[in-house]
């Protein structure tokens, strides 16, 4: 089966950089995704890593190390609107549904 | 921009009643999913649907649950006899294709409250 571990809460200051880690155990590996969810809202896709290394999308970057079964989401120049829950997720198999971690609640403070 | 739409946004029902949650996936998408999220917890997979049949389901998706795609646009989740523990946010999601770049598009959810 799949399991994912990520910190439950992180607090960071506006303008700073924060890293949210995710370790996973999967029976097969089909990539690691990150989703953002604001309170009361739907999860929205942020990024995907299928291969080792860093993927950058604006202020957000995501990193993957398949040999370590580890990835992280890096948020730079934090803004108050980045306060949300962040979930790492892996597909159960190549064609499918995502299994989500428990989520990391990020609080950005002034 | 295309989006997944879900109705209703909120549903209150009495224990033991049947509810149907409705979703309209993005029109050219082929893969459809239901997830649920109990307040404060993670998003949990319920069921996936492709080519007019269930392709995978979780242990949560027991006999009280069913899904249907009654026409070319709607995708429904039915809960036959609701229990208090079914209270949760239910999200519908869709994807255009299978494959590793697992971008799923989620609807805004239906908040189900069973009383």
């Amino acid at each position: 089966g799949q399991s994912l571990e990520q910190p439950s809460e992180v607090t960071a200051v506006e303008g700073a950089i924060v890293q949210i880690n995710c370790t996973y155990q999967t029976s097969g590996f089909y990539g690691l995704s990150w989703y953002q969810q604001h309170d009361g809202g739907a999860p929205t896709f942020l990024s995907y890593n299928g291969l080792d290394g860093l993927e950058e999308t604006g202020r957000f970057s995501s990193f993957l190390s398949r040999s370590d079964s580890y990835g992280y989401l890096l948020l730079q120049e934090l803004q108050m609107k980045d306060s949300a829950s962040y979930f790492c997720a892996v597909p159960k198999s190549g064609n499918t549904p995502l299994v989500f971690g428990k989520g990391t609640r990020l609080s950005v403070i002034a | 921009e295309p989006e997944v739409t879900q109705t209703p946004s909120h549903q209150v029902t009495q224990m033991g009643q049947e509810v149907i949650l409705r979703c309209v996936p993005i029109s050219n998408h082929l893969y459809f999913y239901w997830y649920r999220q109990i307040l404060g917890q993670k998003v949990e997979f319920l069921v996936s649907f492709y080519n007019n049949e269930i392709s995978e389901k979780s242990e949560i998706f027991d006999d009280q649950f069913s899904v249907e795609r009654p026409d070319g646009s709607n995708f429904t989740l039915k809960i036959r006899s609701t229990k208090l523990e079914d209270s949760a946010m239910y999200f519908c999601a869709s994807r255009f294709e299978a494959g590793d770049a697992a971008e799923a598009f989620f609807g805004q959810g239906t908040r189900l409250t069973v009383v």
Side-chain angles (χ1 to χ4, degrees):
Chain A
Q2 280 76 15
S3 69
L4 301 104
E5 294 292 329
Q6 49 182 132
S8 58
E9 293 183 45
V10 173
T11 300
V13 177
E14 193 176 14
I17 299 173
V18 72
Q19 178 173 312
I20 299 173
N21 299 321
C22 174
T23 57
Y24 59 85
Q25 289 186 322
T26 58
S27 50
F29 184 72
Y30 302 93
L32 182 71
S33 298
W34 289 93
Y35 283 74
Q36 179 191 58
Q37 187 182 30
H38 286 98
D39 285 347
T44 56
F45 175 81
L46 287 177
S47 71
Y48 168 80
N49 293 75
L51 300 173
D52 290 352
L54 194 67
E55 293 284 339
E56 297 182 69
T57 309
R59 293 188 297 113
F60 295 0
S61 304
S62 57
F63 173 82
L64 175 67
S65 169
R66 287 174 295 173
S67 59
D68 296 321
S69 297
Y70 163 75
Y72 65 72
L73 180 69
L74 191 75
L75 296 86
Q76 303 182 73
E77 300 172 21
L78 281 173
Q79 302 174 9
M80 301 299 283
K81 67 178 182 180
D82 297 329
S83 293
S85 291
Y86 292 85
F87 294 87
C88 56
V90 292
K92 291 187 71 175
S93 66
N95 107 5
T96 75
L98 296 169
V99 174
F100 286 82
K102 291 184 178 179
T104 298
R105 182 163 188 83
L106 171 64
S107 298
V108 180
I109 58 175
Chain B
E1 186 174 322
E3 59 181 11
V4 177
T5 57
Q6 291 185 240
T7 54
S9 56
H10 294 87
Q11 174 89 49
V12 180
T13 189
Q14 289 198 323
M15 192 169 53
Q17 295 297 304
E18 174 183 288
V19 294
I20 298 176
L21 310 183
R22 302 180 192 282
C23 170
V24 179
I26 294 173
S27 61
N28 62 344
H29 284 193
L30 303 175
Y31 297 84
F32 313 114
Y33 311 92
W34 283 100
Y35 289 83
R36 79 170 186 191
Q37 186 176 36
I38 295 170
L39 187 63
Q41 298 186 23
K42 68 177 181 178
V43 180
E44 299 176 292
F45 167 70
L46 291 177
V47 65
S48 59
F49 194 87
Y50 169 71
N51 200 26
N52 287 318
E53 60 183 19
I54 291 174
S55 49
E56 191 162 354
K57 59 184 180 179
S58 73
E59 59 277 8
I60 302 169
F61 193 88
D62 60 22
D63 291 344
Q64 68 164 340
F65 291 93
S66 62
V67 289
E68 233 183 9
R69 189 155 161 81
D71 53 42
S73 59
N74 291 286
F75 179 49
T76 62
L77 174 70
K78 182 191 288 186
I79 310 175
R80 284 191 189 81
S81 178
T82 50
K83 299 180 281 204
L84 294 176
E85 55 265 35
D86 294 327
S87 295
M89 194 76 151
Y90 288 80
F91 291 105
C92 173
S94 69
R95 293 169 66 193
F96 171 64
E97 56 186 352
D100 297 348
E103 180 171 359
F105 293 82
F106 284 78
Q108 289 301 307
T110 294
R111 182 170 296 285
L112 177 66
T113 302
V114 182
V115 296

